[in-house]
Amino acid sequence: MNRIFSGVQPTGNLHLGNYLGAIRNWVQLQRDYNSIFCVVDMHAITIPPHDPAELRRATREVAAGMIASGIDPDECIIFNQSAVPAHAELTWIFNCVARIGWLNRMTQFKEKAGKNRENATVGLYDYPVLMAADVLVYKGTHVPVGDDQKQHLELMRDTAQAFNSMYGVDFFPLPEPMIFGAATRVMSLRDGTKKMSKSDTSEYSRINMTDEADEIAQKIRKAKTDPHPIPETAEELADRPEARNLIAIYAALEGSETDAVLKNFAGKGFGDFKKSFAELAVETLGPIGSEMKRLTEDTTAVDAVLKKGAERAREIADPVIREAKEIVGFLKP
Ligand code: TYM
């Protein structure tokens, strides 16, 4: 049986990159797949210090973002990772399967740890192994993510395969990444060579899902561009990272392709384009942001979704972890 698993970290604000690269695709996929969507609060504590109250707020906000974007909590499972202990248990087993050499190659660890790698937490180093456990504890077969998660998905497949061959079983599937849409890698609005991210110190680098209409418009007005008009072909965008990014975001928001957007705006300056862009962004994101705020004002509804989601998640994960422990040779408790 095909099963989707994906997750978002509750660190900072949910932004346009998370929406276009991941969550919006999940909304489409939920009809055709048995789907599990997770707020990965255990991943969120890998870079200290963090504020526990802020983690609680952000956990609820990410869940609210999923629901407000159109994920149906009756059809799909929405829950927070720490509520299902099997994730941590399988991580330990996988820690004894995955190799240090594999983790040493992870570019996200290198980026996040920065220059002072000795000071990074063991949790940050182990981040991809926990991610492998997240998916495999449900025997997930498909993982819809943004482009930046490709390498983590390779490690996940390697870990599943290594477990199977180490114990001579065909127990874990090798999950397939699903990376699609016009904006699999949304870049910063201030620098077209940098990924849009929750950790960027410039608020103008990203559009948050809860931004008000005037903030969205202002960020788009201030977005970095170049002095040239919009070209006719995508090839002409090759050396224009900021222009390419804005056109790709526009296409993704509109549900079209870069070529269609270029056809519409070819020859126009970015001033005109940005006006249409702001209108489109406000029209698309505004209702989601308002619904997110409504859902987080009173936490009862979101908490109920997370609680029910965790119960349903445990029902799937518990037998898998039980069997994995037996395969390893642990005595039954
Ligand atoms: P996080 O919270 O960093 O990102 C959540 C999702 O958003 C995508 N994304 C982007 N897509 C396009 N452009 C961007 N600028 C951009 N920024 C973020 C990410 O690719 C991701 O799909 N490690 C995961 C969380 C995770 C997970 C998992 C995912 C934990 N366990 C198991 C899948 C399966 C992450 O990147 O979170």
Side-chain angles (χ1 to χ4, degrees), residues 48-318:
H50 77 276
D51 171 5
E54 167 55 20
L55 179 59
R56 280 187 282 272
R57 184 205 67 78
T59 300
R60 290 177 171 125
E61 188 185 85
V62 169
M66 292 179 185
I67 301 164
S69 299
I71 307 276
D72 179 352
D74 292 324
E75 288 294 323
C76 309
I77 294 178
I78 298 178
F79 76 107
N80 58 309
Q81 189 184 32
S82 64
V84 182
H87 291 241
E89 285 189 90
L90 188 58
T91 299
W92 184 257
I93 293 175
F94 282 170
N95 278 340
C96 304
V97 172
R99 303 301 150 119
I100 287 178
W102 304 354
L103 291 176
N104 284 343
R105 285 197 284 277
M106 294 293 115
T107 53
Q108 284 224 344
F109 172 72
K110 291 181 197 163
E111 278 164 29
K112 288 185 181 172
K115 287 202 186 79
N116 193 0
R117 208 176 290 176
E118 291 286 303
N119 201 35
T121 65
V122 178
L124 185 65
Y125 190 61
D126 206 29
Y127 184 116
V129 179
L130 174 56
M131 210 174 134
D134 289 342
V135 175
L136 292 166
V137 84
Y138 302 96
K139 295 196 172 180
T141 54
H142 293 80
V143 187
V145 282
D147 181 69
D148 60 342
Q149 297 302 307
K150 252 189 202 156
Q151 204 187 22
H152 287 160
L153 263 293
E154 278 164 28
L155 186 135
M156 186 181 294
R157 292 168 60 88
D158 288 347
T159 306
Q161 197 160 31
F163 179 96
N164 288 347
S165 82
M166 196 181 236
Y167 292 103
V169 289
D170 183 14
F171 187 64
F172 288 117
L174 307 191
E176 298 281 346
M178 296 175 107
I179 301 174
F180 63 95
T184 54
R185 192 174 185 84
V186 176
M187 308 308 278
S188 154
L189 299 181
R190 304 300 304 160
D191 177 351
T193 63
K194 254 170 67 183
K195 198 178 69 173
M196 182 177 286
S197 111
K198 296 174 190 131
S199 55
D200 197 314
T201 48
S202 166
E203 269 298 318
Y204 283 99
S205 69
R206 69 182 155 262
I207 294 175
N208 298 317
M209 296 305 289
T210 48
D211 281 349
E212 297 291 340
D214 54 341
E215 283 174 286
I216 296 177
Q218 202 188 17
K219 286 179 179 179
I220 291 174
R221 245 191 336 270
K222 290 200 177 226
K224 189 173 168 201
T225 46
D226 57 42
H228 309 294
I230 294 176
E232 278 174 20
T233 64
E235 290 80 56
E236 292 167 86
L237 287 171
D239 299 323
R240 300 172 63 186
E242 283 81 18
R244 194 172 61 232
N245 186 39
L246 294 189
I247 305 277
I249 298 175
Y250 190 101
L253 284 173
E254 196 181 46
S256 69
E257 297 293 333
T258 296
D259 286 343
V261 180
L262 291 177
K263 204 165 160 216
N264 244 335
F265 289 94
K268 296 210 169 108
F270 272 95
D272 286 342
F273 173 76
K274 281 179 170 180
K275 279 194 198 111
S276 306
F277 189 172
E279 276 169 28
L280 176 64
V282 169
E283 194 184 292
T284 320
L285 307 177
I288 301 175
S290 317
E291 179 64 1
M292 277 174 75
K293 284 180 197 150
R294 193 188 67 78
L295 284 168
T296 40
E297 260 163 33
D298 172 12
T299 58
T300 327
V302 169
D303 286 356
V305 166
L306 290 172
K307 185 164 182 281
K308 183 169 140 229
E311 279 162 15
R312 291 166 64 201
R314 279 195 292 269
E315 277 168 26
I316 303 170
D318 285 353

